[in-house]
Amino acid sequence: MSWRDLYCGELRETNIGSRVTVAGWADTRRDHGGLVFVDLRDHTGKVQLVINPERAPDAASVAHEVRNEFVLQAEGEVVARAPEAVNPNLPTGGVEIQVDTLRILSRSTPLPFQLDEENVDETLRLRYRWLDMRGERMQHNLRLGHTVIAAIRRSMDEQGFVDVWTPSMTRGTPEGARDFLVPVRLQPGKFFALAQSPQLFKQLCMVGGIDRYYQIATCWRDEDLRADRQFEFRQLDLELAFAEREDVLDVMERAVVAAFESLGREAPSRPFERLAYDDVIARYGTDKPDLRYGLEIQEATDVTRDSEFGVFANAPCVRYLVAPRAFSRAELARLEEIAKEWGAKGLAYVVVDESGEMRSPILKFLSEREQAALAAPPGSTVLFGAGDADTVARVLGGLRVHLGRELDLAADGGDVFHWVLDFPLFEQDDAGGWTFLHHPFTAPMPGDEGWDEASPANVHGQHYDLIWNGWELGSGSIRIHDVELQKKVFRTMGLSDEEAQSKFGFLLDALAMGAPPHGGFAMGIERFVALMAGEPDIRQVIAFPKVSSGSDPLTGAPTPMPAGVLAELGVAALPGDDPGAA
Ligand code: ASP
């Protein structure tokens, strides 16, 4: 006997007159003094069961025992609903099943929350995730994730990529986060690191002649958890040999478009816009601008050079935003607070009211020439940043994001994808030395290879980021395939050739044995799926995520381990530590 003939959500008027067996969960039960109605639910929808004691007395006595989320099997006849009982909002709303046999396959204890309840505490939802998963939101999100990943896999296959599995347990991969460590019983006191990404293995695949590698790879990074961050997440990870930057961007664009098409959504048009890093920082104050709206940062350094307003005259850089609204004093005070959070000392402004009149405490200091240069339309506010270029970019970039949100500037913007290219190769670290911006395997721009190892500030790298509506989806680069150049990058980061050999000897050896030019990319799958699903955080598209304390409310992990187990691994917990604390 099979458990069911068809899914609950599949029944239609065409089934009227046939006998069917269905199975699923009791979504609701209504007892109408005699007749019992049960909405039976599975992942496809709900169908109404009618249990009539006159027609089926045994089924009726079973029906009285049924409670929400019991698992049932029902056999009976599909009939048309009476006209006044038709539910036009349900695909199955024109029919019901007159039940002849009803079986309880499984019972449920009272529920910690109802499936359709709103604002259920998230930790409670995660503690009972199997219940939460039965609800529409998780059903939709997990299936949407599946559709997107299947489309990406198809696209990669069509583009000639080979899925190669790479190890999770490895040496640390420098992606800028802490490693999770795995002690090794066979070698007490030694540790594997869980891969922060398959970066070096995919490069070795290129040296190994795979030509086009991809993987939906799990990555582990020990970072604080946030809306778009979990300890473990997946990447669409790919690498191409004999590739130029444009080849990599083209592959990724095709994968993104395939994902949109798989959901029947209008795909962003290709090629996605390409913008240089220096340019986006100057215009938007961030390397991941939301381009659904303009609100560009504008230059005023020259025009304010001899300003009578001392703050402008003395600042190496003066820039401004024109917000499309004449702000009130209270609103300006709030904006000033935000500017300060981003590092400003204050916020100079000029409000242009609806009649075109300017209002500002600094107006009396601004010459006619300055006022003319900064002219803004009626009903707007000019907001200034003055100081060193980095601070000004940060402050105005922060204000731009805030205003975009507050004034709902992105509302009609659709889906805007773009690339940011030509990042600096190095940045200064906290100790005053130099470190990589992306990772140390990114190639410099052609022509930039001759940098002075002590001052690499102006070297640009062949690194690129993909941005969707202000969210960074992922990064990639053309890699170094010349062993001497790779050693030079390590030296610039303060690693001697000996240290580089001991940490990355396997890579240097491979680069010295016929490495083709190559480059690649990695895109965060959960972030992409969450944005596709319109979800505010990636936990809503992950079956079993952790909460921000780093715990899993469902299993209770992580847990302390008995001292004997630790001893076998060559590990000891420090006294006073409470590894079980949530
Ligand atoms: N491994 C890099 C990352 O995880 C991506 C890449 O360069 O391909 O961000």
Side-chain angles (χ1 to χ4, degrees):
M1 182 204 77
S2 67
W3 290 109
R4 58 190 171 192
D5 298 327
L6 74 184
Y7 290 122
C8 299
E10 286 180 333
L11 283 145
R12 294 290 180 277
E13 280 76 352
T14 48
N15 300 103
I16 290 171
S18 59
R19 297 198 66 81
V20 294
T21 301
V22 290
W25 285 264
D27 194 63
T28 48
R29 188 191 69 126
R30 297 178 304 282
D31 209 327
H32 285 197
L35 285 186
V36 179
F37 295 88
V38 173
D39 281 345
L40 195 69
R41 185 197 71 238
D42 62 23
H43 65 283
T44 63
K46 297 175 198 170
V47 64
Q48 178 161 284
L49 309 180
V50 186
I51 303 104
N52 182 341
E54 282 169 20
R55 176 181 175 126
D58 291 350
S61 70
V62 174
H64 287 295
E65 282 182 50
V66 169
R67 296 291 175 272
N68 281 4
E69 300 308 312
F70 276 29
V71 180
L72 309 177
Q73 184 191 40
E75 193 267 340
E77 185 187 346
V78 184
V79 300
R81 290 200 198 183
E84 65 281 7
V86 167
N87 181 348
N89 301 321
L90 272 187
T92 62
V95 299
E96 60 195 13
I97 300 176
Q98 285 286 351
V99 174
D100 290 306
T101 316
L102 184 66
R103 283 174 68 200
I104 294 175
L105 303 180
S106 181
R107 289 166 192 266
S108 169
T109 54
L111 303 172
F113 54 85
Q114 298 304 315
L115 264 58
D116 57 359
E117 203 173 317
E118 285 182 14
N119 303 322
V120 179
D121 171 65
E122 196 190 3
T123 306
L124 190 69
R125 281 176 54 204
L126 293 176
R127 166 71 183 85
Y128 298 97
R129 190 60 149 181
W130 57 86
L131 286 180
D132 193 36
M133 271 177 159
R134 288 181 205 158
E136 267 173 42
R137 181 182 187 179
M138 287 308 297
Q139 284 287 327
H140 174 258
N141 289 353
L142 293 175
R143 285 167 203 283
L144 182 144
H146 162 77
T147 305
V148 165
I149 292 172
I152 288 175
R153 285 192 181 280
R154 266 196 309 277
S155 172
M156 298 316 291
D157 190 45
E158 280 161 19
Q159 297 189 69
F161 284 78
V162 179
D163 183 345
V164 180
W165 185 46
T166 58
S168 312
M169 299 201 303
T170 178
R171 283 184 90 115
T173 24
E175 296 282 1
R178 287 193 185 86
D179 287 325
F180 280 102
L181 300 179
V182 182
V184 182
R185 182 183 51 82
L186 295 177
Q187 299 185 47
K190 289 191 180 167
F191 298 85
F192 284 109
L194 293 180
Q196 289 189 34
S197 83
Q199 182 61 37
L200 292 175
F201 291 109
K202 67 177 172 175
Q203 291 191 236
L204 298 180
C205 285
M206 296 302 100
V207 184
I210 295 298
D211 200 68
R212 290 189 156 206
Y213 143 98
Y214 94 101
Q215 200 179 169
I216 305 287
T218 303
C219 305
W220 291 265
R221 298 186 189 178
D222 184 359
E223 297 177 296
D224 290 344
L225 285 81
R226 292 202 310 237
D228 62 347
R229 237 183 228 168
Q230 285 272 308
F231 287 154
E232 48 190 322
F233 59 94
R234 290 172 300 169
Q235 289 184 339
L236 163 62
D237 193 51
L238 57 89
E239 197 76 11
L240 301 66
F242 302 101
E244 307 210 340
R245 180 169 79 189
E246 277 303 315
D247 300 316
V248 184
L249 305 193
D250 185 66
V251 166
M252 274 308 303
E253 290 186 2
R254 286 172 193 274
V256 167
V257 165
F260 269 75
E261 286 173 348
S262 73
L263 297 176
R265 275 176 64 165
E266 191 186 338
S269 58
R270 300 180 47 220
F272 304 163
E273 197 178 351
R274 283 129 169 83
L275 298 162
Y277 172 87
D278 291 343
D279 186 37
V280 289
I281 295 288
R283 284 162 66 191
Y284 307 106
T286 167
D287 59 4
K288 42 176 193 291
D290 186 341
L291 297 188
R292 284 175 296 176
Y293 54 93
L295 199 63
E296 285 191 25
I297 297 172
Q298 309 196 43
E299 188 56 70
T301 311
D302 283 344
V303 77
T304 56
R305 177 56 44 244
D306 301 315
S307 182
E308 282 181 33
F309 183 46
V311 173
F312 286 179
N314 298 327
C317 173
V318 181
R319 294 184 182 148
Y320 63 97
L321 288 172
V322 180
R325 183 181 158 97
F327 288 119
S328 68
R329 262 179 223 292
E331 287 168 327
L332 286 161
R334 173 81 191 107
L335 290 174
E336 180 164 24
E337 271 172 40
I338 288 161
K340 286 182 173 166
E341 281 164 23
W342 289 99
K345 296 207 176 70
L347 180 65
Y349 62 83
V350 174
V351 179
V352 186
D353 68 20
E354 297 299 338
S355 67
E357 198 169 322
M358 292 175 146
R359 165 164 67 78
S360 165
I362 65 165
L363 201 58
K364 54 182 178 291
F365 301 113
L366 299 182
S367 65
E368 263 175 38
R369 180 169 159 261
E370 284 173 290
Q371 290 189 23
L374 303 171
S380 60
T381 306
V382 186
L383 300 165
F384 293 93
D388 66 81
D390 286 351
T391 310
V392 170
R394 221 177 29 248
V395 170
L396 294 183
L399 280 172
R400 181 178 178 275
V401 170
H402 175 81
L403 292 171
R405 220 175 12 237
E406 288 289 294
L407 304 179
D408 211 8
L409 300 180
D412 305 319
D415 293 302
V416 182
F417 283 79
H418 67 272
W419 295 100
V420 178
L421 316 171
D422 306 343
F423 280 75
L425 190 57
F426 298 102
E427 64 181 354
Q428 209 122 32
D429 62 21
D430 297 338
W434 291 92
T435 185
F436 53 87
L437 194 85
H438 180 37
H439 54 51
F441 318 110
T442 300
M445 293 292 279
D448 271 7
E449 300 86 348
W451 76 87
D452 172 358
E453 288 173 25
S455 60
N458 295 323
V459 187
H460 281 86
Q462 298 193 57
H463 162 188
Y464 28 81
D465 278 358
L466 177 59
I467 316 294
W468 177 10
N469 293 350
W471 290 88
E472 183 193 319
L473 290 179
S475 302
S477 58
I478 297 298
R479 326 296 185 187
I480 297 169
H481 67 280
D482 175 283
V483 68
E484 291 310 319
L485 196 56
Q486 185 64 70
K487 286 185 191 164
K488 182 173 178 180
V489 166
F490 287 141
R491 282 197 302 274
T492 306
M493 289 165 44
L495 280 186
S496 68
D497 286 354
E498 294 70 41
E499 284 167 325
Q501 188 63 37
S502 100
K503 269 190 156 164
F504 298 109
F506 62 102
L507 173 71
L508 296 172
D509 289 349
L511 294 183
M513 292 185 196
H518 60 285
F521 197 81
M523 176 173 85
I525 289 282
E526 282 73 31
R527 187 176 298 183
F528 186 58
V529 171
L531 287 167
M532 280 285 196
E535 285 290 0
D537 65 63
I538 61 174
R539 294 188 300 279
Q540 311 310 331
V541 299
I542 298 175
F544 304 107
K546 298 183 178 49
V547 291
S548 56
S549 62
S551 304
D552 170 8
L554 193 152
T555 63
T559 56
M561 283 292 153
V565 172
L566 295 181
E568 209 179 6
L569 297 168
V571 176
L574 292 175
D577 278 5
D578 179 11

